[in-house]
Amino acid sequence: MVSKDDIIFVVRNTLYDLEMYSKDAEALLIRTGSAESGYRYLRQIGTGPARSFWQVEANTCLDNIENYLAYRKKKLKLVADVSQTTPEIIENLDSNSASRLLTNNIAFAICMARIKYWRIPHRIPKADDIEGQGNYYIKYYNAGGKATMKKWKDAVELINI
């Protein structure tokens, strides 16, 4: 597992640079990575499409680009700057190249996970509301997945923030 300090550092800095930081979002993203991969896997176990510690699928990434970033050029530029790529590269991703970028670029994966949460029309529960954040994660991020509140609480305990 990657060190907790390193995860906090990269998530916090990415969210600040993306201009989408809040203490609540930081906690949710750190816990989401712990729940999704335990910070041990960059590719979904088996043959699944999810990539990065946050297990973002290429389709989710492409949806974020096509239906959110395409209409917010300033935010697209921030994502490109934060992930050390270009708006043109991001706008021209296909499923294969999106999967590669999610796997190989931690900041880009954090951006995609944060934008996925950002697009939910409900406020992120407070950082100290572990159960509320767990329910939010299960309902909106892992919808249709295998997440449970027990797995969430185990992941929260593992990362212990």
Side-chain angles (χ1 to χ4, degrees):
M1 183 169 107
V2 178
S3 83
K4 178 173 79 171
D5 289 342
D6 287 344
I7 292 298
I8 292 168
F9 177 82
V10 74
V11 168
R12 182 174 293 153
N13 286 327
T14 300
L15 294 179
Y16 270 115
D17 291 346
L18 190 59
E19 299 178 1
M20 297 177 97
Y21 178 85
S22 74
K23 182 178 179 177
D24 303 329
E26 175 186 80
L28 182 61
L29 281 170
I30 291 168
R31 291 169 178 155
T32 296
S34 185
E36 289 289 319
S37 70
Y39 293 106
R40 292 185 299 265
Y41 307 104
L42 294 172
R43 294 180 299 140
Q44 186 172 346
I45 295 173
T47 60
R51 298 291 185 263
S52 84
F53 293 136
W54 293 270
Q55 297 291 282
V56 178
E57 295 182 7
N59 287 340
T60 298
C61 173
L62 296 174
D63 182 63
N64 282 344
I65 295 163
E66 294 166 8
N67 295 306
Y68 183 79
L69 292 175
Y71 302 100
R72 293 160 182 86
K73 296 301 181 181
K74 181 182 176 205
K75 190 62 71 182
L76 173 63
K77 175 89 168 78
L78 284 172
V79 171
D81 290 348
V82 167
S83 61
Q84 297 184 352
T85 186
T86 67
E88 295 76 25
I89 288 172
I90 293 171
E91 289 177 312
N92 289 300
L93 290 173
D94 61 18
S95 185
N96 289 332
S97 56
S99 289
R100 284 184 58 98
L101 193 55
L102 287 163
T103 304
N104 297 333
N105 190 316
I106 292 172
F108 183 75
I110 293 168
C111 290
M112 290 300 107
R114 178 63 179 109
I115 290 169
K116 178 177 172 69
Y117 276 128
W118 183 268
R119 294 175 66 197
I120 296 165
H122 303 286
R123 182 177 291 264
I124 292 174
K126 296 289 183 193
D128 62 358
D129 183 0
I130 292 170
E131 191 157 320
Q133 285 203 341
N135 286 324
Y136 193 87
Y137 156 77
I138 291 166
K139 183 173 183 178
Y140 298 115
Y141 195 90
N142 193 266
K146 297 178 181 177
T148 64
M149 187 55 71
K150 179 180 180 345
K151 288 180 182 179
W152 174 259
K153 287 182 178 178
D154 290 346
V156 167
E157 188 174 312
L158 176 69
I159 197 69
N160 192 27
I161 59 162

